[in-house]
Amino acid sequence: VTDKFTESMYVLANEPSVALYRLQEHVRRSLPELAQHKSDMQSWEEQSQGAIYTVEYACSAIKNMTDSSVYFKSIDSLLKHAIAMKDQLNAAQG
C-alpha cells in the first residue's frame, strides 16, 4: 500500500499541470521586466533611426556641396570677367 501511495504521490507531484503552473509563475514574474526591455529597445531603435537619418542627410548635403564646386568655379570666373569688363568700361570712359 505504501508503495502504491508513494507512486501515486510521485505521479501527482510530477504531473504536467504542476510544470505548467511553474512555467506560468515564471512568466508572470518575468513578463513585466521583458515588456520594459522591449519598450526600451524600441525607444533606442527610434532614436538610432533618427540619428542615422540625420547623418545620411548631412553626408548627402556635403556630397552635394562638393559636386557644386564646378558651379562655384564657373561663378568665380564669370565674376572676374565682369570685373575686368567693368574696369575696361571705366578706362574707356575715363
Side-chain angles (χ1 to χ4, degrees), residues 10-82:
Y10 180 78
V11 168
L12 286 174
N14 291 315
E15 183 179 327
S17 62
V18 173
L20 293 175
Y21 175 74
R22 297 290 183 209
L23 284 172
Q24 181 184 8
E25 281 182 337
H26 174 72
V27 168
R28 190 175 294 153
R29 272 186 272 123
S30 62
L31 189 63
E33 184 178 345
L34 290 173
Q36 182 61 42
H37 283 298
K38 180 182 177 184
S39 175
D40 292 344
M41 292 299 288
Q42 287 174 336
S43 173
W44 294 334
E45 180 186 14
E46 290 172 5
Q47 291 176 357
S48 297
Q49 289 296 326
I52 289 169
Y53 175 76
T54 302
V55 168
E56 286 176 348
Y57 184 74
C59 289
S60 173
I62 290 171
K63 184 181 181 305
N64 288 338
M65 289 174 73
T66 56
D67 290 345
S68 64
S69 65
V70 173
Y71 301 110
F72 286 120
K73 289 177 184 174
S74 174
I75 291 170
D76 183 48
S77 68
L78 289 172
L79 285 172
K80 287 179 182 176
H81 183 68

